[in-house]
Amino acid sequence: MSGPSSDYDPVEVTPLRADEVEKMRDDALAAVATAGDLAALKQARQEHTGDRSPLALANREIGALPPQARKEAGRRVGQARGAVAKALTEREQVLEVEREQRILAEESVDVTLPWDREPRGARHPLTTLQDRIEDVFIAMGWEVAEGPEVEAEWLNFDALNFGPDHPARTMQDTFWLEPAAAALVLRTHTSPVQARTMLTREPPIYIVCPGRVFRTDTLDATHAPAFTQVEGLAIDEGLSMADLKGTLDHFWESMFGAGITTRFRPSFFPFTEPSAEVDLVCIACRGEQPAVATCRTCKGEGWMEWGGCGVVNPRVLVACGVDPERYSGYAFGMGIERTLMVRHGINDMRDIVEGDVRFTVPFGMEI
Ligand code: PHE
């Protein structure tokens, strides 16, 4: 009968030997002590306390020992693991404090630094002027209407009573889009917005139509190939030229102050009949002697040309589905670059379009 093998000493299972456990512990403590940041510490934690760490594997061996040997091995491994866990916690606290201090130092804001080196943006003076113009009409109960810049030839011309061979069709030098068969133009005025509104809504209609328009002009001191218009349209029962005059007088007084009146000179537009050019009392000399004689704003005229207007031609009403027996209306249009130039003494149109902030900023920082 053979007895138990005498050269097998269960207490001496290699991973559980005192010197082995001590080495595991010391390796772990060294890794913890040298972890330079929280990420390195996390790695050390995984390597030395994770499921596959030497101490965890040793711990698993304890169960295989005979009962009398388990206590001692358990204590040994347990103490080693406890020491590592404690070291980890302490090191973590130290590294967290370090990290916080580093963040505080790195992300601190020097409140004494100058804050205004990055200039704030501002809206272009044309935009703020356009808003002001709209506001005058909104205060009278009008609405703002907008439309596309690429427009159907029919809406830009035909609906507005420009006949196919009408010289007025070339009067406004038009950008045509390719292919010609598409019959598309860059709108030459914002009047097509008025046509669109009449086609889709029932009167009464009171709208202002601000927007960019395009004509084949070369950029110079007084012309630009793209400029901004504000047109207006009123359609109601019994409207006449007198309503138009009253509206425009009110508008210009709102823009430039009391006493700025308008005068009409006969003119021609296909879409209005009768039609007129609107002149405005010069805002600088007010047409008064003796200032008018030397006035540079109106060049001694006392009046400034401003735009076109008239009573809507019944043919336009018919084309846009409005009954001319019942309704009448008036329309007007003006370029607002010109208004801006006169209002602020700007001599060169190019200053307005070039987008140089040195031009924009003195108008104020309205955002
Ligand atoms: N649409 C005209 C233009 O751009 C301006 C205008 C509008 C004239 C309304 C009369 C009535 O020239």
Side-chain angles (χ1 to χ4, degrees):
M1 207 168 95
S2 60
S5 164
S6 58
D7 56 353
Y8 174 69
D9 179 356
V11 182
E12 286 300 310
V13 170
T14 313
L16 293 172
R17 271 188 358 227
D19 57 339
E20 281 295 325
V21 173
E22 236 168 69
K23 182 170 180 315
M24 291 174 201
R25 184 197 65 196
D26 291 347
D27 283 352
L29 292 178
V32 170
T34 53
D37 57 27
L38 288 166
L41 190 66
K42 185 175 174 193
Q43 177 141 11
R45 183 192 299 277
Q46 191 148 16
E47 274 167 22
H48 294 280
T49 66
D51 281 352
R52 306 200 150 271
S53 63
L55 278 170
L57 294 176
N59 194 49
R60 240 176 275 163
E61 298 281 345
I62 295 171
L65 293 178
Q68 69 273 27
R70 281 186 203 159
K71 193 170 166 214
E72 177 58 21
R75 188 185 55 77
R76 190 179 298 150
V77 175
Q79 276 180 357
R81 296 180 93 196
V84 174
K86 184 161 169 276
L88 274 168
T89 311
E90 284 169 6
R91 185 76 187 135
E92 187 172 48
Q93 278 165 2
V94 170
L95 289 176
E96 263 171 11
V97 170
E98 264 179 37
R99 183 186 60 177
E100 261 161 41
Q101 274 166 354
R102 195 173 57 245
I103 288 174
L104 279 177
E106 278 170 8
E107 297 183 3
S108 66
V109 176
D110 183 350
V111 292
T112 64
L113 284 176
W115 51 270
D116 56 353
R117 295 237 175 108
E118 288 280 323
R120 269 202 297 163
R123 292 195 305 160
H124 194 276
L126 264 185
T127 314
T128 37
L129 178 62
Q130 182 180 315
D131 280 0
R132 278 206 53 177
I133 293 172
E134 287 170 18
D135 283 349
V136 174
F137 286 96
I138 289 169
M140 290 193 284
W142 293 43
E143 291 167 66
V144 176
E146 288 178 321
E149 292 176 355
V150 172
E151 186 55 280
E153 176 190 7
W154 189 84
L155 286 162
N156 195 79
F157 290 124
D158 302 71
L160 301 167
N161 195 37
F162 290 77
D165 303 318
H166 200 294
R169 200 178 281 249
T170 49
M171 183 169 92
Q172 301 180 341
D173 305 310
T174 309
F175 285 111
W176 293 85
L177 267 71
E178 303 272 353
L184 289 173
V185 300
L186 291 184
R187 65 179 179 192
T188 58
H189 49 182
T190 57
S191 303
V193 182
Q194 310 176 2
R196 283 171 175 272
T197 308
M198 286 188 275
L199 283 163
T200 50
R201 282 183 37 185
E202 290 298 313
I205 293 170
Y206 290 88
I207 51 166
V208 267
C209 314
R212 206 198 302 256
V213 301
F214 306 87
R215 296 184 195 176
T216 55
D217 282 323
T218 315
L219 183 63
D220 64 22
T222 52
H223 297 88
F227 58 100
T228 322
Q229 273 194 335
V230 176
E231 295 203 0
L233 172 75
I235 304 283
D236 208 337
E237 291 180 16
L239 289 183
S240 73
M241 203 85 173
D243 299 294
L244 169 60
K245 182 86 167 57
T247 304
L248 290 184
D249 280 350
H250 169 76
F251 169 66
W252 289 113
E253 286 207 328
S254 306
M255 293 299 290
F256 289 125
I260 299 295
T261 52
T262 56
R263 87 176 171 189
F264 288 3
R265 281 181 292 115
S267 184
F268 171 79
F269 297 103
F271 33 86
T272 44
E273 183 60 40
S275 304
E277 298 284 339
V278 186
D279 289 346
L280 189 66
V281 163
C282 175
I283 60 163
C285 68
R286 303 203 163 215
E288 286 162 12
Q289 294 294 354
V292 64
T294 53
C295 181
R296 281 193 292 166
T297 304
C298 64
K299 305 199 172 59
E301 294 284 323
W303 295 92
M304 300 187 299
E305 282 182 29
W306 222 282
C309 68
V311 172
V312 180
N313 191 317
R315 294 174 66 104
V316 173
L317 296 181
V318 170
C320 296
V322 175
D323 178 4
E325 299 296 325
R326 181 167 172 203
Y327 294 107
S328 59
Y330 59 83
F332 54 88
M334 63 195 152
I336 64 172
E337 277 79 0
R338 193 167 144 58
T339 312
L340 186 71
M341 287 170 84
V342 171
R343 204 159 171 251
H344 295 282
I346 300 160
N347 297 320
D348 197 325
M349 177 85 91
R350 284 167 289 206
D351 286 335
I352 297 179
V353 300
E354 271 168 0
D356 188 328
V357 289
R358 286 172 299 181
F359 168 77
T360 319
V361 162
F363 288 87
M365 299 303 283
E366 281 181 60
I367 296 177

